[in-house]
Amino acid sequence: MSDHPTPASAVTLVIVNAGVSDPSSTRLLADRVAQKTIDALRTAGTTATVRSVDLGPLATDIAQGIVSGMLTPKIQSVMELLAGADAVIAATPVYKAAVSGLFKSFVDLIDNDLLIARPVVLAATGGSARHAMVVDEHLRPLFAFLRALPMPTSLYATPEDWGSTDLGRRIARAAEELSVLLRSGAGRQIADGNWGGYQHQFGGNATAAERSADDVDFGTDLMRLATGGGAPVRRQEPRHGH
């Protein structure tokens, strides 16, 4: 099943950053969320490790994956990193009232069952407050489709927000939500308890994805037909005359 942590054990946070500028305000926002989460977990007696994925240098590999349907070694390693993550901090710039094309293209490469019941903080940056709802209108449905667990508090920052205390409070709130969910082990329990009821991609990157013939139940009626065995003969009950 999925390798989520038990409560109070060490956890791994993975940042997925679609910011491409240097320095990147999107990466800065994600880093602040990660640090606040580490602080909250440490206070509760849990240690955390943070791994970062910057999508900008992977743009060519992402495009190749979209066109060919095959993952390059670099993208495959990122997927394996996500498969082993206990939580994800997803951060993207907003362009023209939507998440960046780079971010969406990367998400299009993710197996549908890779992030099942995985806690996720949703974060975005933009040049205007007019785009603040993009996080909840675009990112939240996207991760809901992946059956992840987005935190109740979403984050959006404009240039003028960086000097405000309100942004700091929202970051702290999202980090605390993530800390509580991680320590509860709820994501692990949800994924493990329902894993057999989800539809999975054969050979996918999810921890418990079927990868070989040993993983497949060939005893079902459908698999017997697919392998040329024919459907089982249904024994009919004898009819009794009256």
Side-chain angles (χ1 to χ4, degrees), residues 180-231:
V180 169
L181 188 55
L182 281 171
R183 290 185 286 109
S184 73
R188 170 183 52 80
Q189 295 176 45
I190 292 171
D192 289 352
N194 296 282
W195 189 263
Y198 296 120
Q199 291 183 346
H200 303 294
Q201 176 177 335
F202 182 82
N205 288 295
T207 306
E210 297 173 341
R211 291 183 173 84
S212 71
D214 294 335
D215 297 318
V216 181
D217 181 5
F218 288 97
T220 66
D221 292 354
L222 181 61
M223 289 308 299
R224 276 193 291 267
L225 285 171
T227 55

Side-chain angles (χ1 to χ4, degrees), residues 37 40-41 151 174-186:
T37 304
L41 288 168
M151 295 303 96
E176 182 61 29
E177 292 167 355
L178 181 58
S179 171
V180 169
L181 188 55
L182 281 171
R183 290 185 286 109
S184 73

Side-chain angles (χ1 to χ4, degrees), residues 6-197:
T6 55
S9 67
V11 299
T12 299
L13 312 177
V14 173
I15 293 173
V16 178
N17 162 48
V20 294
S21 59
D22 187 18
S24 168
S25 60
T26 306
R27 175 62 188 270
L28 176 60
L29 178 59
D31 286 343
R32 287 186 60 179
V33 175
Q35 186 58 57
K36 281 293 185 181
T37 304
I38 290 173
D39 294 342
L41 288 168
R42 183 186 298 119
T43 299
T46 301
T47 59
T49 301
V50 178
R51 304 289 298 276
S52 297
V53 177
D54 293 324
L55 299 184
L58 299 173
T60 299
D61 296 88
I62 292 171
Q64 289 177 0
I66 291 294
V67 173
S68 68
M70 302 292 290
L71 303 185
T72 68
K74 288 182 179 179
I75 299 299
Q76 182 62 42
S77 66
V78 171
M79 296 304 176
E80 291 171 358
L81 185 62
L82 286 174
D86 299 309
V88 176
I89 299 170
T92 177
V94 172
Y95 301 121
K96 297 182 179 178
V99 300
S100 78
L102 178 64
F103 183 87
K104 181 58 169 64
S105 295
F106 172 73
V107 173
D108 286 347
L109 297 177
I110 296 177
D111 290 349
N112 289 348
D113 54 358
L114 184 65
L115 298 178
I116 289 177
R118 202 67 51 88
V120 180
V121 174
L122 307 177
T125 59
S128 168
R130 292 183 304 162
H131 304 308
M133 290 303 296
V134 166
V135 185
D136 288 314
E137 291 179 349
H138 290 228
L139 280 180
R140 193 170 294 277
L142 186 59
F143 281 91
F145 174 81
L146 294 173
R147 294 165 290 185
L149 296 177
M151 295 303 96
T153 298
S154 56
L155 301 170
Y156 179 78
T158 63
E160 55 268 23
D161 287 326
W162 292 106
S164 72
T165 57
D166 182 60
L167 177 60
R169 285 194 295 266
R170 285 185 282 125
I171 290 173
R173 188 168 69 234
E176 182 61 29
E177 292 167 355
L178 181 58
S179 171
V180 169
L181 188 55
L182 281 171
R183 290 185 286 109
S184 73
R188 170 183 52 80
Q189 295 176 45
I190 292 171
D192 289 352
N194 296 282
W195 189 263

